[in-house]
Amino acid sequence: MHDDTLSHHEFDTEPFTTTELTAIMGYRTAIEGIPDAIMETTPAEMGAAATAFGPAAAKNLLTDHCDALNTWFLALDQALAELLTCTTESTRYSTAAGRFLTAETAAYHRARQHFEHTTTVFLLGRDTAPLTGNYPRFTSSLNLPMQCFEDE
């Protein structure tokens, strides 16, 4: 259950507790496959699905991705509740749990932005020549040292 992707959240602080690891495992189980499915879908793939299987298939794919994002949001919301440490002294998140939740929330919002961009480009029919700048490019972060926008 504990792996290298969790270790960096524990850097220079206490490790996750057993309860926190259980909550993280539940969260990961709930979102299994969702981030990859959403982030790997492009407007061109949506167009190919519509061409090969008809517009209803493309609409169904968009609906499925929308439902998956909702599942992800609900799992993240549940993790927010389950990773909260409640003691007689305070109610807080451990440093590691706070880092984990911050990273997962950022990943969710990047995926949501990607979904919204993919949906908009596809529905407007602007996916035929994406390199010509006919629709604003998707960006998920700003790389100041390299002075550029990046997408993942």
Side-chain angles (χ1 to χ4, degrees):
M1 177 170 14
H2 191 282
D3 55 34
D4 288 339
T5 61
L6 292 178
S7 296
H8 70 279
H9 298 300
E10 298 171 322
F11 178 74
D12 206 23
T13 191
E14 301 85 28
F16 288 107
T17 65
T18 304
T19 304
E20 288 172 331
L21 289 171
T22 301
I24 290 169
M25 180 63 145
Y27 167 77
R28 285 180 164 180
T29 300
I31 69 162
E32 188 171 356
I34 292 174
D36 292 336
I38 291 171
M39 294 302 285
E40 292 173 2
T41 302
T42 66
E45 290 172 343
M46 294 299 305
T51 300
F53 306 108
K59 179 186 180 289
N60 288 340
L61 183 59
L62 289 174
T63 301
D64 290 346
H65 279 29
C66 185
D67 291 344
L69 275 169
N70 188 53
T71 298
W72 190 353
F73 176 84
L74 293 174
L76 190 55
D77 187 53
Q78 184 172 349
L80 281 168
E82 291 179 356
L83 288 167
L84 189 63
T85 303
C86 299
T87 64
T88 55
E89 297 86 34
S90 69
T91 299
R92 63 177 188 85
Y93 295 101
S94 70
T95 301
R99 290 172 181 168
F100 173 79
L101 289 168
T102 299
E104 289 301 311
T105 300
Y108 167 79
H109 284 291
R110 276 192 308 276
R112 182 180 172 101
Q113 182 189 27
H114 181 82
F115 169 76
E116 290 169 351
H117 182 266
T118 298
T119 302
T120 303
V121 169
F122 170 70
L123 292 177
L124 293 177
R126 305 291 283 203
D127 59 332
T128 55
L131 299 178
T132 63
N134 62 359
Y135 189 83
R137 291 194 53 205
F138 171 74
T139 63
S140 61
S141 63
L142 172 64
N143 184 335
L144 288 176
M146 297 302 292
Q147 301 174 343
C148 66
F149 295 113
E150 296 178 338
D151 45 279
E152 294 180 7

